[in-house]
Amino acid sequence: MVDLDKIISLCKRRGFIFQGSEQYGGLQGTWDYGPLGVELKNNVKKAWWRYNVYERDDMEGLDSSILLNRLVLKYSGHEATFSDPMVDCRKCKKRFRADQVDPNEKCSEGGTHDLTEPRPFNLMFKTTYGPVADENNIAYLRPETAQGIFINFKNVLDSTNRKLPFGIAQIGKSFRNEITPKNFIFRVREFEQMEIEYFVMPGEDEKCHQEWVEARKNWYIRYGIKPENIRLYNQKKEELAHYAKATVDIHYRFFPERPEEDKQFDEVEGVANRTDFDLSCHTKGGKLVLADGREFPNTDATNKLTYFDPKTNQHLLPYVIEPSCGVDRATLAFMMDAYCEEEVKEGDTRVVLKLHPALAPIKVAVLPLKKNNEDIKSTAHKIKKILLGSGFRTVYDDTAGIGKLYRRQDEVGTPFCVTVDFQTLEDNTVTVRDRDTMAQERVAIDDLKEYIAKRIGHND
Amino acid sequence: MVDLDKIISLCKRRGFIFQGSEQYGGLQGTWDYGPLGVELKNNVKKAWWRYNVYERDDMEGLDSSILLNRLVLKYSGHEATFSDPMVDCRKCKKRFRADQVDPNEKCSEGGTHDLTEPRPFNLMFKTTYGPVADENNIAYLRPETAQGIFINFKNVLDSTNRKLPFGIAQIGKSFRNEITPKNFIFRVREFEQMEIEYFVMPGEDEKCHQEWVEARKNWYIRYGIKPENIRLYNQKKEELAHYAKATVDIHYRFFPERPEEDKQFDEVEGVANRTDFDLSCHTKGGKLVLADGREFPNTDATNKLTYFDPKTNQHLLPYVIEPSCGVDRATLAFMMDAYCEEEVKEGDTRVVLKLHPALAPIKVAVLPLKKNNEDIKSTAHKIKKILLGSGFRTVYDDTAGIGKLYRRQDEVGTPFCVTVDFQTLEDNTVTVRDRDTMAQERVAIDDLKEYIAKRIGHND
């Protein structure tokens, strides 16, 4: 399997991903998706939305704000507990994560560090709104999209007349002021999430949890991840958040170079049974209960976030199953899993990204066999124009010999290369080359659009 | 034409758009898109991407970070000049926009306000990153997506080998701390933009500018805006930003209720000829020149943002044409333009959103003619299952009589209602009702998927 370094180098060279604010030395923990990266990431998001919203009968979508009233994060528990323990050195004034600094480490001011007791450091990005920047006007950048779903539970329920069970899906940016962003797009400060909050009757939550774990695992496999590179990890009792009844993490083999197999895997998604914790926190008259027993009665919420069960004539707080996936991590997993180096013949290796066609950034490359033949070139341009109307990315390239052009497309995962050659000028057919098998098939230009659409399977 | 109030009420009732953080009294200037709103907005974004990236031969995409190194905003000029003039009252300590406060206004502390001289108030949202919240760790939420494009100009150029002219397109959230957010999603603090920076040889900029104005206007018309509700507005010399050679705003009739026709129109998009201002600011060794003549030589940038012209063997700074569109405003314009109240027969009016099928949140509603007939209901469910795989939103509804069900779908712009009736049970056909003409056609269930796909035109 490929390691992260090779992927990083491919990403930079071919324009998948660049460092954020690179022109000014970067802003640590931010990444910019380039021309191929934005297509790949958008395709991952579309595949998720299609599978989780369009193909199911029980889901609604949402797109809530990044900026949140601080009360949302007060009652969610984030203000009080979304923090890492930090220590300061009294001599050099530097700050460290308590679990990452060796007290015997050398201080730049001489001797060893003189460290304070650990203090909680909140990981939320804070800002202020309105003309006066003071304590009364604090807003947070959301640390997860989930809270936007919980606080809109009643709005969605009332405008759709849904009955339990049903879910709300959301894709969007979230922000965490990580102390040590690392491993490329794996741990970052600005990232994107695809989250579902699925609301069920208490008592039906455990079965539903299992079903979501299966459904989410199957999504990765459907879009090309090899089953042996995915693992389900049941969080142990002592690892669970205090409000969670059970959490199953979906792990991907992000670090294949590590000798111990267990350490090769890390989280791409978590599927949690959060009970009624979140709706209890945010409902009018409800309360937040922290792990240490502290209670915050909710005196600010405007609506009851309850569901009226017509069978029992009772108002109740539904339980919540939360499949929460990182877009950037999923994108990285799809890239890593698709990456192959294949010996084509002795001494000749090709790099190929065997991405699912729905995920591939470019669907079709139109290539003239000879770049110095004007008829071939103009026919290739004409074919590209025909395909431009298909609603996906098509490119034209004549800047190298055909062998090199194929390699360029293989490396970025383009499933189909359409080659225009001398025969095309005679009989209006082209060759369509399959990325994975390298087999070529002759197709009439008139049939090309339909042929490609069929081969892609579904054209988003 | 419909006014904003009716649209706001429809949006809330049917789940298009809710107030942000509403559960806690709101966060002014933020809005959450509900189940139908997220589909509509996503469709607007897809239609833009399709038209401006996929259907053209000269465009690349990008998705850059929201959090920016403050140096980006220093050299763009935003730190120095992206501000409104504000005054403080020395008595009541309140702050006002200088052009919006009457100095003779009553102060809550007695008498009239005792106002300070106007001072610039920067409209960018500021935050800090890393463990220490001080001046050295300031980052801004981007006030426009454009800057992320400029600073990545070289990255995109190098990874794609583009020649001039070519453009970079980006869709994403931007943030401005507006003093007075107003008019629903028209003036907000958190919003989404669709921006293009199109790079051309100096000298070709004026022609290119005109072409983009036409192309952008045509996009609105292609997706359903009536030409009489769009106006082009050439900014006068005294209105132009100091770096702009020319700017044409695209105005939409957002305020039809205003008596003077000129005041009914407001900006949905601006198309500016920005010359080489932006690349000059951000290029290594370049400089920012403000309107007042102040100069900031760029001593921090890491790369030259120049283009090598193979014809003249010269390195040059391309000119930039910028079509910059607000997603929220465009979405609002498409909704307003689609809204109709039609008298179906005497005394019976229907509300119908005549959205372009590509923009419609729900493409197909499957409706059983009789909700108490199990065969009809189960057939309707089966048909919905068939359509679920199409990659767009399909719904099933049996919670009212057929007339009311049609009205519900008309109001949210669903182009096709598929009705299952007694004849369906005999011959496996359904009626497909057209939203706009209300004409019904019988279609075999086996042909339905293809029939709908064809009628929608393109299925994104």
Side-chain angles (χ1 to χ4, degrees):
Chain A
M1 255 190 86
V2 65
D3 62 19
L4 217 44
D5 287 344
K6 266 194 183 163
I7 293 285
I8 294 171
S9 143
L10 175 66
C11 281
K12 167 82 187 175
R13 181 162 40 85
R14 295 304 305 273
F16 280 92
I17 300 173
F18 312 116
Q19 197 191 352
S21 297
E22 188 178 8
Q23 177 71 352
Y24 292 100
L27 179 63
Q28 223 199 344
T30 67
W31 296 91
D32 292 351
Y33 285 75
L36 294 179
V38 62
E39 296 293 339
L40 175 59
K41 188 167 70 143
N42 282 348
N43 290 341
V44 169
K45 291 191 279 184
K46 278 187 209 167
W48 186 89
W49 196 265
R50 179 186 184 112
Y51 185 89
N52 293 295
V53 180
Y54 293 154
E55 294 188 5
R56 294 179 63 112
D57 220 351
D58 54 355
M59 295 290 296
E60 299 288 347
L62 187 76
D63 185 6
S64 68
S65 301
I66 289 170
L67 291 176
L68 289 176
N69 186 315
R70 77 180 292 182
L71 291 172
V72 178
L73 285 322
K74 172 184 171 187
Y75 289 110
S76 71
H78 284 84
E79 268 202 343
T81 64
F82 192 61
S83 54
D84 279 342
M86 303 290 292
V87 293
D88 291 298
C89 171
R90 295 187 184 89
K91 279 155 48 183
C92 69
K93 311 291 180 204
K94 288 219 178 87
R95 186 168 286 176
F96 307 92
R97 237 176 82 168
D99 56 348
Q100 291 181 344
V101 65
D102 177 349
N104 299 319
E105 224 164 60
K106 286 255 162 65
C107 175
S108 58
E109 299 294 309
T112 57
H113 287 303
D114 176 14
L115 298 175
T116 60
E117 285 297 296
R119 282 182 301 197
F121 169 74
N122 198 291
L123 297 178
M124 289 194 292
F125 282 101
K126 196 191 271 190
T127 189
T128 59
Y129 62 91
V132 184
D134 69 13
E135 282 291 308
N136 297 319
N137 297 305
I138 287 173
Y140 292 109
L141 307 196
R142 63 180 175 200
E144 57 181 29
T145 64
Q147 298 305 324
I149 299 181
F150 296 129
I151 59 174
N152 276 295
F153 172 71
K154 197 72 182 165
N155 278 332
V156 173
L157 194 64
D158 289 349
S159 60
T160 63
N161 288 311
R162 282 281 183 184
K163 303 281 168 262
L164 290 191
F166 78 97
I168 303 176
Q170 170 157 247
I171 299 178
K173 289 268 176 99
S174 293
F175 298 81
R176 296 179 187 180
N177 190 6
E178 298 282 352
I179 307 309
T180 44
K182 62 181 175 184
N183 291 329
F184 192 42
I185 54 173
F186 187 80
R187 185 171 305 283
V188 293
R189 287 175 172 152
E190 173 174 342
F191 60 109
E192 207 160 359
Q193 293 184 298
M194 306 189 280
E195 294 198 302
I196 294 164
E197 307 301 329
Y198 194 82
F199 302 95
V200 291
M201 291 292 286
E204 292 170 15
D205 51 306
E206 294 185 14
K207 183 161 167 284
C208 181
H209 185 215
Q210 283 314 309
E211 287 165 358
W212 270 109
V213 169
E214 277 308 299
R216 293 302 308 136
K217 183 181 139 195
N218 290 340
W219 178 75
Y220 292 97
I221 292 168
R222 166 163 157 183
Y223 285 100
I225 302 273
K226 291 178 258 321
E228 65 267 27
N229 292 331
I230 288 191
R231 281 194 180 177
L232 298 182
Y233 176 78
N234 279 279
Q235 286 194 10
K236 300 193 190 88
K237 210 153 189 181
E238 63 273 21
E239 295 172 306
L240 284 177
H242 78 285
Y243 49 76
K245 195 164 159 185
T247 296
V248 178
D249 291 334
I250 301 178
H251 284 195
Y252 177 74
R253 198 191 298 268
F254 283 111
F255 307 102
E257 72 281 8
R258 293 181 180 165
E260 285 174 72
E261 193 174 15
D262 264 6
K263 296 198 171 153
Q264 295 176 356
F265 287 82
D266 210 332
E267 188 183 343
V268 64
E269 172 157 354
V271 186
N273 180 344
R274 302 176 63 97
T275 71
D276 61 0
F277 174 77
D278 307 280
L279 294 179
S280 298
C281 294
H282 288 304
T283 196
K284 183 179 180 178
K287 66 180 173 194
L288 162 68
V289 182
L290 297 180
D292 61 12
R294 274 184 295 162
E295 296 193 353
F296 296 81
N298 194 327
T299 52
D300 294 297
T302 55
N303 283 302
K304 287 259 182 202
L305 301 181
T306 48
Y307 172 80
F308 178 74
D309 180 14
K311 280 187 203 140
T312 60
N313 278 335
Q314 301 266 323
H315 294 271
L316 59 91
L317 288 169
Y319 270 33
V320 171
I321 308 301
E322 178 190 79
S324 169
C325 168
V327 179
D328 311 270
R329 289 189 185 187
T331 302
L332 181 59
F334 284 118
M335 276 193 95
M336 290 183 72
D337 223 81
Y339 186 98
C340 306
E341 293 179 8
E342 284 182 353
E343 192 165 64
V344 183
K345 49 184 188 215
E346 223 185 290
D348 183 12
T349 302
R350 69 165 186 156
V351 171
V352 50
L353 275 192
K354 295 188 172 176
L355 289 167
H356 187 290
L359 302 187
I362 300 168
K363 306 295 189 221
V364 181
V366 184
L367 312 171
L369 185 71
K370 298 279 175 198
K371 63 180 281 192
N372 50 10
N373 182 306
E374 284 306 317
D375 289 343
I376 286 181
K377 273 172 63 177
S378 72
T379 306
H381 276 298
K382 244 181 270 167
I383 290 171
K384 192 197 157 179
K385 284 246 158 64
I386 293 169
L387 294 174
L388 284 181
S390 300
F392 50 67
R393 189 121 185 97
T394 309
V395 299
Y396 167 94
D397 193 1
D398 67 5
T399 60
I402 192 71
K404 197 165 176 190
L405 294 180
Y406 284 151
R407 291 291 183 278
R408 273 188 202 160
Q409 296 303 324
D410 288 345
E411 191 181 52
V412 301
T414 308
F416 307 107
C417 287
V418 169
T419 306
V420 178
D421 55 19
F422 290 104
Q423 195 182 326
T424 310
L425 304 179
E426 285 163 27
D427 67 1
N428 287 313
T429 64
V430 291
T431 65
V432 179
R433 173 183 175 271
D434 181 282
R435 175 196 66 199
D436 299 343
T437 63
M438 294 186 281
Q440 304 195 7
E441 199 176 337
R442 276 211 98 81
V443 178
I445 294 174
D446 286 347
D447 302 337
L448 194 58
K449 216 167 153 174
E450 204 172 333
Y451 173 92
I452 300 270
K454 206 168 264 177
R455 291 284 306 273
I456 291 176
H458 56 71
N459 68 349
D460 59 0
Chain B
M1 258 190 84
V2 66
D3 61 20
L4 216 45
D5 287 343
K6 267 195 184 162
I7 293 286
I8 294 171
S9 140
L10 176 65
C11 280
K12 167 81 188 176
R13 184 161 37 89
R14 295 304 306 271
F16 281 91
I17 301 172
F18 311 116
Q19 197 192 353
S21 297
E22 187 179 10
Q23 177 71 351
Y24 292 101
L27 179 63
Q28 223 198 345
T30 67
W31 295 91
D32 294 350
Y33 285 74
L36 294 178
V38 62
E39 297 293 338
L40 174 60
K41 188 167 70 143
N42 283 348
N43 290 341
V44 168
K45 292 191 278 183
K46 278 187 206 166
W48 186 90
W49 196 265
R50 178 184 186 115
Y51 185 90
N52 292 295
V53 180
Y54 293 154
E55 294 188 5
R56 295 179 65 112
D57 221 351
D58 54 355
M59 295 291 297
E60 299 288 348
L62 187 75
D63 184 9
S64 68
S65 300
I66 289 169
L67 289 175
L68 288 175
N69 185 314
R70 76 180 290 182
L71 291 171
V72 178
L73 286 321
K74 173 184 170 184
Y75 289 110
S76 70
H78 284 84
E79 268 201 343
T81 64
F82 192 61
S83 53
D84 279 342
M86 303 289 293
V87 292
D88 290 297
C89 171
R90 294 187 185 89
K91 280 159 39 187
C92 69
K93 310 292 180 202
K94 287 220 178 88
R95 186 168 286 176
F96 307 92
R97 237 176 84 170
D99 57 349
Q100 291 181 344
V101 66
D102 177 348
N104 299 322
E105 226 164 62
K106 286 255 161 66
C107 175
S108 57
E109 297 296 309
T112 58
H113 286 304
D114 177 14
L115 298 175
T116 60
E117 285 298 295
R119 282 181 302 194
F121 169 74
N122 198 291
L123 296 179
M124 289 195 292
F125 282 101
K126 195 191 272 189
T127 188
T128 59
Y129 62 92
V132 184
D134 69 12
E135 281 292 307
N136 297 318
N137 298 306
I138 286 172
Y140 292 108
L141 306 197
R142 65 181 176 201
E144 58 182 28
T145 66
Q147 298 304 324
I149 299 181
F150 297 129
I151 59 173
N152 276 296
F153 172 70
K154 196 71 181 167
N155 278 333
V156 173
L157 195 63
D158 289 349
S159 60
T160 62
N161 289 310
R162 282 283 182 182
K163 305 279 167 264
L164 290 190
F166 79 97
I168 303 176
Q170 171 158 244
I171 299 177
K173 288 268 175 101
S174 293
F175 298 81
R176 297 180 186 177
N177 191 5
E178 299 282 353
I179 306 310
T180 42
K182 61 181 175 184
N183 290 330
F184 192 40
I185 55 173
F186 187 81
R187 185 170 306 283
V188 293
R189 288 176 172 152
E190 172 175 342
F191 60 110
E192 207 159 0
Q193 293 185 297
M194 307 189 281
E195 294 197 302
I196 293 165
E197 307 301 329
Y198 195 82
F199 302 96
V200 292
M201 293 291 287
E204 292 171 15
D205 52 306
E206 293 185 17
K207 183 162 167 283
C208 181
H209 186 214
Q210 283 313 309
E211 287 165 358
W212 270 110
V213 170
E214 276 309 299
R216 292 302 308 136
K217 183 180 138 194
N218 290 340
W219 178 76
Y220 291 97
I221 292 168
R222 167 164 156 182
Y223 284 101
I225 303 272
K226 292 177 258 320
E228 66 266 28
N229 292 331
I230 288 191
R231 281 194 180 178
L232 299 182
Y233 176 79
N234 280 279
Q235 286 194 12
K236 301 192 189 90
K237 211 155 186 176
E238 64 272 20
E239 294 172 305
L240 284 177
H242 78 284
Y243 47 76
K245 196 166 159 182
T247 296
V248 178
D249 290 334
I250 301 178
H251 284 195
Y252 177 74
R253 198 191 297 267
F254 282 111
F255 306 102
E257 72 281 8
R258 293 180 181 166
E260 285 174 71
E261 192 172 15
D262 264 6
K263 297 198 171 156
Q264 295 175 358
F265 287 84
D266 210 333
E267 190 183 342
V268 63
E269 173 157 352
V271 186
N273 180 345
R274 301 176 64 97
T275 73
D276 61 0
F277 174 77
D278 308 279
L279 294 179
S280 299
C281 295
H282 288 302
T283 196
K284 184 179 178 175
K287 66 181 172 193
L288 162 68
V289 182
L290 295 180
D292 60 13
R294 275 183 294 161
E295 295 193 357
F296 296 81
N298 193 327
T299 52
D300 294 296
T302 56
N303 283 302
K304 287 259 182 204
L305 301 182
T306 49
Y307 173 80
F308 178 74
D309 181 15
K311 283 190 200 138
T312 60
N313 277 336
Q314 301 267 326
H315 294 270
L316 60 91
L317 288 170
Y319 269 33
V320 171
I321 308 301
E322 178 191 81
S324 171
C325 167
V327 179
D328 310 88
R329 288 189 187 187
T331 302
L332 182 58
F334 284 117
M335 276 193 93
M336 288 183 73
D337 223 80
Y339 186 98
C340 306
E341 293 178 8
E342 285 182 352
E343 191 165 66
V344 184
K345 50 183 187 217
E346 222 185 293
D348 183 12
T349 303
R350 68 166 187 157
V351 171
V352 50
L353 276 191
K354 295 189 173 177
L355 290 166
H356 187 291
L359 303 187
I362 300 167
K363 306 295 189 221
V364 181
V366 183
L367 311 171
L369 185 71
K370 297 281 173 198
K371 62 180 282 192
N372 49 10
N373 182 306
E374 285 306 316
D375 289 343
I376 286 181
K377 272 172 66 178
S378 72
T379 305
H381 276 296
K382 247 181 267 168
I383 291 171
K384 191 194 160 183
K385 283 245 158 65
I386 293 169
L387 294 174
L388 283 181
S390 301
F392 51 66
R393 190 119 184 98
T394 310
V395 299
Y396 168 93
D397 192 1
D398 68 5
T399 59
I402 192 71
K404 197 165 176 191
L405 294 179
Y406 284 150
R407 292 291 183 277
R408 275 188 200 158
Q409 297 301 327
D410 288 344
E411 190 181 51
V412 300
T414 308
F416 307 107
C417 286
V418 169
T419 306
V420 178
D421 56 18
F422 289 104
Q423 194 182 327
T424 310
L425 303 180
E426 287 164 25
D427 67 1
N428 286 313
T429 64
V430 291
T431 64
V432 179
R433 173 184 176 271
D434 182 282
R435 175 196 66 200
D436 299 344
T437 64
M438 295 186 280
Q440 305 195 6
E441 199 176 338
R442 274 210 99 82
V443 178
I445 294 174
D446 286 346
D447 302 336
L448 194 57
K449 217 167 152 173
E450 205 173 331
Y451 173 92
I452 300 271
K454 205 169 264 177
R455 290 283 307 272
I456 290 176
H458 55 70
N459 68 350
D460 63 359

